[in-house]
Amino acid sequence: HGLPAGPGDALCHGPLGLAIAPDAPNLAGQGAIYVAAQLRAYRSGERKHEVMAVIAKGLSDADIAGLAAWYASIKVEAKPPD
């Protein structure tokens, strides 16, 4: 199931990948391939975001794979409006 989110992740994306910050996306239930690709894009500078660039720069490929697997393993239920 990968690495659990760290304290830096939880500040914006919440401890279970449900965003706390209004400008941060939910990561819970996102596909591992998608999350890994976005983290690699932040790390390389291909994708721009001041905070994420700093966080992703310190991640190894193994860290990225672990985080992607963690978020992908969280089950999210969607319900239509009443």
Side-chain angles (χ1 to χ4, degrees):
H1 291 259
L3 298 172
D9 302 329
L11 290 175
C12 295
H13 298 287
L16 290 177
L18 298 175
I20 296 169
D23 63 341
N26 291 331
L27 297 179
Q30 290 285 354
I33 292 170
Y34 174 79
V35 173
Q38 300 317 303
L39 288 171
R40 286 191 302 271
Y42 284 125
R43 185 177 66 183
S44 72
E46 177 185 339
R47 187 167 179 185
K48 309 288 186 207
H49 187 275
E50 189 175 324
V51 174
M52 285 304 304
V54 172
I55 292 170
K57 189 171 187 164
L59 297 175
S60 69
D61 288 340
D63 293 334
I64 288 173
L67 286 166
W70 165 256
Y71 286 117
S73 73
I74 298 170
K75 302 298 177 210
V76 177
E77 183 179 334
K79 292 184 179 183
D82 294 330

